[in-house]
Amino acid sequence: MSADTALAAPRRHQSIDRRSFIGLLLVALPVFLVGWLIVFPIFSAVVGTIFVRGPDGATEFSLASYRFFFSDGYSLGNLWLTLWTTAVCGILLLAIGLPIALYLRFSQGRLAAYVQALAIFPMFVPSIILAYALIRTIGPNGTIDLLLNAAGLPKLRTPYLTPWGPVIGLVWDNLPLTVLMLTAGLSSVSNSAIEAARDVGAGPLRVFVSIILPRMGNSLLVTASFAVLGIFSAFTLPYVLGPASPEMMGPFMQRTFADMNDPLNAMTQAVITFALCLVFGIFYIRSIARNREARP
Amino acid sequence: MRTAKPGTGLRFDWIGTLFACLLTLFIALPLIVVGTWAFTEVWRYPSVIPQQFGLRFWGQTLARSDVWDALLLSLRLTATVTVLSAVICLPAAYAFARMRFPGRNILFLSFLASHAFPKFGLLVAIAGIFLRLGLISTFWGVVLIQLVGTLMLMIWIPVAAFQNVDRRMEEAARDAGATPLRVFWSITLPQAAPTITAALLLTFVGTFYETEGAWLIGAPGIRTMPVLMISFINNQIVVQYGAVLSVMLWVPSFIALMFARRVIGTGAFARGFGA
């Protein structure tokens, strides 16, 4: 090793350390915000609902708020409604989103562009405007009723203020990301694999089951996880379009926290939603981490 | 990435037509309805079209002081959040895209944490902390909660922008003797700017319409535009007030979002959410 390189090596090492330090410094503030406003509140909610301050001011271990939740018929009714809504929306989103994504993957031209634009359009419409628009459309004496009446058909029982109201709103709202994520997943299915299957005589259904589905299993699960996490504690659409009782966990938590001024029980409800969605959350993060590793 | 079977161009696209019709009905109808209500003075059941069109309710809506208060507050809040988000996130995005430092991947992935939990549950957990800190019903409490909501978008999209900058141009400038700051200012930033602008627009519009945090943390003292709209819906006051607000506030933001469309179309956006 020459004298020059011997001198240069520690200097380079020092400069890498300085760059590492600058890098860490640049990311410090947002990382701190994530720690303070996401990780810490979750940790604090779990600890705060288990170690409760008693009337004498001393902190003691107690599961009373959880016992109350799981023995209270109203709370359980809300949880059941939330699970039902999430499952129905998840199934509907995949049932509607997958055929659209498949169509977009294998079609081109103006009609495909129009379908894509419409499917993505709800992303540009805020939930609150959607809620307002849906009340005027599917609500009592709304546009659907007007059109049915004009066609000489009887009125439909309105889904507004029933569990189907939030389902319609949430499917509308979540359709764009479902289609985008599934289309992104489908782009990993190569044309040559599909053409090879077609060459040996496979029909569209066979191509879908044997070629496409196995390759996008992960993408389907990520999309479903994302939808579940978003819908499980949705607030605006269930609050505006849904029934007052039972209500979904989002409005239930808001009412417990703000209207009933009962943070302990609201936090307990929040921790229960975390626990129920944990599997989806872990799956979601793990799959993204794996995707990133796979990418150069 | 799309491919067509040979000859499909000549055949009538039944499936596409079916999707187009169903989606038009499902997606466009509610929006057409709210748009029509905004320009309606009288529309009584069972008439399919309004009995009387007019702009009377625009004047009435714009004469309400609560509308102006909410609009100005929302604009102030959204501008504050967008500027803070840019100042905090853009340097971090540059660091994630270009620098190597310990824990880089884990820290980058940590920004997805907010998406790995049910959102409103997370907001309730944060509200519990803000209650102890006296941040409930304050301007800065709402700023903080909305800032957290913008982190992922303002880091993931600009990271992609910085990664897509042509490295050879930067190296050429450096070879010609430009300082690192000069290279960043004259080469890197102009190339990344369109995507970063799109991220800023998405952040601005997303924050303007953010309802859940603004209500949970802000009520009753902070009343943003979406929170005002919820009270219009709950209190069942004149239908047209909400319709006028929807059209008045949505059209400009829709135009702004159209400029950001390129980012959404590239797939980087979907990948940001884990596709």
Side-chain angles (χ1 to χ4, degrees):
Chain A
M1 195 188 278
S2 74
D4 270 2
T5 45
L7 272 173
R11 208 182 304 145
R12 225 181 101 230
H13 187 72
Q14 203 179 19
S15 113
I16 288 169
D17 275 350
R18 224 187 71 198
R19 271 184 80 79
S20 291
F21 178 72
I22 293 172
L24 281 170
L25 203 67
L26 289 177
V27 303
L29 201 50
V31 168
F32 166 76
L33 281 174
V34 167
W36 179 45
L37 290 174
I38 295 175
V39 181
F40 173 63
I42 291 165
F43 184 73
S44 161
V46 174
V47 173
T49 48
I50 294 175
F51 295 96
V52 186
R53 192 165 289 208
D56 54 347
T59 305
E60 56 191 35
F61 177 79
S62 162
L63 291 174
S65 64
Y66 291 92
R67 266 201 302 277
F68 170 74
F69 185 95
F70 287 108
S71 59
D72 176 41
Y74 185 62
S75 304
L76 289 174
N78 293 340
L79 183 61
W80 171 244
L81 177 71
T82 309
L83 288 168
W84 178 86
T85 309
T86 309
V88 170
C89 288
I91 292 166
L92 280 176
L93 277 170
L94 287 182
I96 300 169
L98 190 57
I100 295 177
L102 281 168
Y103 170 73
L104 292 176
R105 169 71 179 78
F106 296 109
S107 310
Q108 54 189 358
R110 275 204 209 148
L111 198 60
Y114 178 70
V115 169
Q116 185 180 38
L118 272 181
I120 293 175
F121 196 78
M123 198 179 265
F124 299 110
V125 183
S127 317
I128 187 66
I129 289 182
L130 167 68
Y132 207 82
L134 281 179
I135 292 175
R136 305 310 327 161
T137 311
I138 59 171
N141 291 351
T143 307
I144 298 285
D145 269 353
L146 293 177
L147 293 174
L148 287 174
N149 182 63
L153 294 165
K155 273 188 178 190
L156 274 186
R157 246 190 74 200
T158 172
Y160 174 49
L161 301 183
T162 75
W164 288 100
V167 168
I168 294 171
L170 289 166
V171 168
W172 204 97
D173 211 25
N174 284 286
L175 189 63
L177 269 178
T178 307
V179 170
L180 276 177
M181 288 169 82
L182 289 175
T183 314
L186 275 168
S187 67
S188 65
V189 183
S190 72
N191 289 334
S192 52
I194 293 165
E195 274 155 25
R198 275 189 188 147
D199 286 347
V200 294
L205 191 71
R206 185 85 196 148
V207 169
F208 176 67
V209 173
S210 303
I211 308 288
I212 296 174
L213 215 51
R215 282 174 173 75
M216 63 174 312
N218 194 57
S219 174
L220 274 171
L221 285 170
V222 174
T223 310
S225 299
F226 193 79
V228 165
L229 289 165
I231 292 164
F232 197 86
S233 76
F235 171 74
T236 310
L237 292 165
Y239 178 79
V240 176
L241 299 173
S245 166
E247 56 195 337
M248 277 181 70
M249 290 303 284
F252 184 37
M253 283 188 268
Q254 189 275 335
R255 225 166 35 76
T256 312
F257 185 85
D259 299 353
M260 291 160 72
N261 203 9
D262 185 357
L264 175 65
N265 275 317
M267 302 273 228
T268 306
Q269 293 155 13
V271 173
I272 290 166
T273 65
F274 294 154
L276 287 170
C277 292
L278 196 63
V279 181
F280 294 100
I282 291 173
F283 179 81
Y284 180 67
I285 292 278
R286 230 193 62 191
S287 151
I288 290 166
R290 251 205 332 241
N291 275 3
R292 277 184 52 75
E293 275 167 22
R295 234 169 263 151
Chain B
M1 289 301 282
R2 290 183 199 134
T3 52
K5 272 187 285 183
T8 44
L10 297 172
R11 246 183 26 212
F12 187 71
D13 187 355
W14 284 107
I15 300 174
T17 312
L18 184 73
F19 279 139
C21 293
L22 289 177
L23 281 174
T24 304
L25 193 71
F26 184 59
I27 304 290
L29 184 67
L31 300 173
I32 293 168
V33 170
V34 81
T36 311
W37 265 106
F39 299 96
T40 291
E41 288 185 6
V42 183
W43 191 358
R44 289 194 198 93
Y45 189 85
S47 172
V48 176
I49 53 164
Q51 279 94 353
Q52 196 182 332
F53 287 100
L55 293 172
R56 184 157 57 94
F57 285 97
W58 282 76
Q60 284 189 20
T61 311
L62 292 175
R64 291 178 68 101
S65 64
D66 55 353
V67 167
W68 284 104
D69 290 346
L71 180 63
L72 293 176
L73 175 69
S74 277
L75 286 175
R76 205 151 51 90
L77 201 69
T78 308
T80 311
V81 172
T82 309
V83 169
L84 274 178
S85 186
V87 169
I88 292 171
C89 295
L90 292 179
Y94 183 80
F96 279 124
R98 290 306 186 76
M99 295 172 160
R100 307 260 154 222
F101 47 87
R104 178 171 161 271
N105 274 336
I106 294 282
L107 293 177
F108 187 48
L109 283 173
S110 73
F111 290 99
L112 282 171
S114 61
H115 281 284
F117 293 94
K119 188 184 166 201
F120 205 76
L122 188 59
L123 286 176
V124 170
I126 298 172
I129 308 251
F130 280 16
L131 194 63
R132 291 201 288 272
L133 295 175
L135 282 167
I136 294 285
S137 193
T138 65
F139 180 82
W140 289 104
V142 179
V143 166
L144 271 174
I145 202 84
Q146 293 189 327
L147 190 61
V148 175
T150 68
L151 285 182
M152 200 204 85
L153 195 73
M154 278 294 272
I155 289 197
W156 279 67
I157 294 180
V159 161
F162 285 126
Q163 277 171 343
N164 288 337
V165 171
D166 190 348
R167 293 286 184 103
R168 283 166 307 179
M169 277 177 73
E170 289 182 336
E171 278 158 21
R174 219 168 286 143
D175 289 345
T179 60
L181 199 67
R182 174 91 193 154
V183 173
F184 178 79
W185 189 251
S186 303
I187 309 285
T188 315
L189 202 58
Q191 283 193 48
T195 310
I196 290 175
T197 310
L200 282 168
L201 278 175
L202 285 169
T203 302
F204 189 90
V205 176
T207 308
F208 188 86
Y209 282 110
E210 202 280 335
T211 313
E212 308 181 338
W215 200 14
L216 189 69
I217 305 291
I222 300 294
R223 204 181 203 202
T224 62
M225 214 64 209
V227 175
L228 180 73
M229 276 195 67
I230 288 193
S231 78
F232 278 11
I233 294 173
N234 279 350
N235 302 332
Q236 302 275 326
I237 47 177
V238 185
V239 173
Q240 284 89 337
Y241 289 165
V244 167
L245 282 189
S246 300
V247 172
M248 190 178 90
L249 297 175
W250 177 61
V251 170
S253 50
F254 175 67
I255 294 168
L257 283 173
M258 279 294 118
F259 287 102
R261 211 168 51 133
R262 204 175 58 91
V263 171
I264 293 172
T266 55
F269 193 72
R271 273 201 293 278
F273 287 100

